[in-house]
Every structure is written in structure tokens, then in C-alpha cells.
Amino acid sequence: MTQTLPAPLDVKLMNLTASVLFVGCAMAVLAAGAWWVLRYPGFAIARIVVQGELVHNNSVTLRANVAPHLAGNFFTVDLRTAREAFEQVPWVRRAQVRRVYPGGLRVELQEHDAVAYWGPDTGSALVNSQGEVFEANVGDVEQEGLPRLQGPTGSSAEVLQMYGLLEPVFKPLRLDVEELELTGRGGWRATLDSEAVVELGGGTPQEVVQRTQRFVRTLTQVAAQYGRRVDALESADLRHAGGYALRLRGVTTVTADATGTAAVRKR
């Protein structure tokens, strides 16, 4: 039987030293390669291609504004940081950034499409078609006649949805909803383009719409009883059970009659 003797200590030390040197050299080569990749001008980001339907931005301005915020080269640039930099640009809703070899970035942009103003008229907030609030220069809004929506924080999508339900209800009166507010108590208040203010009350969207439809169906007849047209409406309160109260120019509200419509008298 042959017995294998353990390697001498000096041989073990030599093998260990050789292994350490090999690993050290490999790490040095990797570090040198990484340094070369980081510094080599050929790997710099040479172009940024911006795509998407741009109305309030252009690709030249976008590249000029975002490029200073991009650190690293083609291999090391943080795509998430790049995406966030593009999404900080006014009117940009969403950005998708990917590498395109050699040395390029391709950016797909989606802009906000403003459908309403949000909050007080002194602010710069807008609402897009997804019901999201965003900040932008309201002077850049190209659409005319956008409504103003208001409500508690986080309610923009709900208010936009209610506006979409109520706007067609007032069309038979040839009136538009200029402002719609969801109050802190859950009630709805509409201001028409005739400057009339209508308290719509609370409840489910269906209940609010039905209440408003009854009001619209009878308003022309009620106003005519007092020699007034619909555009004489100053205010209305639909929160009364079985009827509503209203104020017409030259006419004042008193109490509800048997038909369920608020009675009025001339001032």
C-alpha cells in the first residue's frame, strides 16, 4: 500500500502565495478594464433620440436640458435616473429610456394632455385625461374654454369623471359647466358659463345626475312662468327633498309648491 505524504509547509505556502498573486492580478486586470471602460471616449453617450408626440416640448430643448443630468457613459448610465430626469421636464407625463448601441439612448415620451384646470385660479395645476394633476405653465395651454375643477387632495379623477357626466346634462339649456367643485362634505357645486351657481348635493354619481336632469327638464318652464329665460338663472339649490330652490334675476325664492318645484315670486 502506497501512503501519500502531506505536502511540506513551504510548498503549501508557495501554492497559497501563487493563488493570491493570481487573484490579485486578475482583480487588477478587471479594475484596469473597468477604468478603461469608464474613461474611453468611444463609449460616451454620443446621441439621444427623442420620440413621441411632442406639443409643448421639442427634442433639441429636451436633450439640452437633460444631458447635464446624465452621469456615466453608455454602459454605466443609470437608466432610472435618466427616466426621472426626463419626467421632471414640464408637460412630460412618462418617459421610457433604453440603450441603443453604439453610444446612444432612445427616449419614448408621453406628454400630458390638459383637459381642465385644477384648484384656485391663482395656481398652475392642471388635470390630464387620466385624471392626474400636474404642474405646468398655464400660459402654454393651447385649448380654449377648459373647465376648472376643484376638490380635496386625491379627488381629481373623481371630479373629472363627474364633470364628464354632468356636462352633457346641461347641454339642452345651452349652458356649459365652467367650474365643478367637490366640497369637503362630499357635495357638488357647479358654476355655469352664465355665472349661475348650482348646488347639486351629494350622493352617488347616478343620484346627482338624476337630480340634475330633473332640474334641467323643468327650469325652462319655471323661468317662463315669471317672464324669464334660462339665462336669468342666478343660483339653484337641488339639495331639497322633492324639489329645488332657485333664484332668477328680478325674482326671489320662497318655498316648494305641490309639483315639487320651488315656488318663486317677483322681487
Side-chain angles (χ1 to χ4, degrees), residues 38-49:
L38 291 172
R39 302 292 181 179
Y40 183 58
F43 293 143
I45 297 175
R47 68 187 187 281
I48 301 176
V49 178

Side-chain angles (χ1 to χ4, degrees), residues 12 91 118 146-147 158 239 241:
K12 291 182 178 180
W91 288 98
W118 179 257
L146 292 184
E158 179 183 3
R239 296 173 294 181

Side-chain angles (χ1 to χ4, degrees), residues 90-111:
W91 288 98
V92 174
R93 177 176 181 258
R94 183 174 296 166
Q96 293 182 335
V97 184
R98 59 174 178 165
R99 296 179 177 88
V100 178
Y101 188 84
L105 295 179
R106 179 169 296 166
V107 185
E108 293 279 350
L109 292 183
Q110 179 188 12
E111 286 191 335

Side-chain angles (χ1 to χ4, degrees), residues 55-56 91 112-118 123-128 134-148:
V55 176
H56 300 93
W91 288 98
H112 292 283
D113 51 338
V115 296
Y117 299 101
W118 179 257
S124 59
L126 296 157
V127 181
N128 64 21
F134 66 99
E135 296 286 337
N137 182 3
V138 296
D140 294 337
V141 177
E142 297 181 345
Q143 302 94 318
E144 295 183 357
L146 292 184
R148 182 167 295 279

Side-chain angles (χ1 to χ4, degrees), residues 150-152 155 159 180-189 199 201 239:
Q150 299 191 60
S155 65
V159 180
L180 181 63
E181 178 183 0
L182 174 60
T183 67
R185 295 185 176 182
W188 295 93
R189 179 183 299 117
E199 295 286 353
R239 296 173 294 181

Side-chain angles (χ1 to χ4, degrees), residues 5 10 12 32 44 84 86 88-89 129 139 148 153 203 244 266:
L5 298 177
D10 56 345
K12 291 182 178 180
E84 293 173 350
F86 277 100
Q88 292 299 314
V89 175
S129 57
R148 182 167 295 279
T153 302
Y244 57 81
K266 290 188 177 180

Side-chain angles (χ1 to χ4, degrees), residues 9 11 16 48 69 91 103 155 176 237 243 261 263 266:
L9 180 59
V11 174
L16 178 60
I48 301 176
H69 301 282
W91 288 98
S155 65
D176 294 322
D237 191 341
T261 301
K266 290 188 177 180

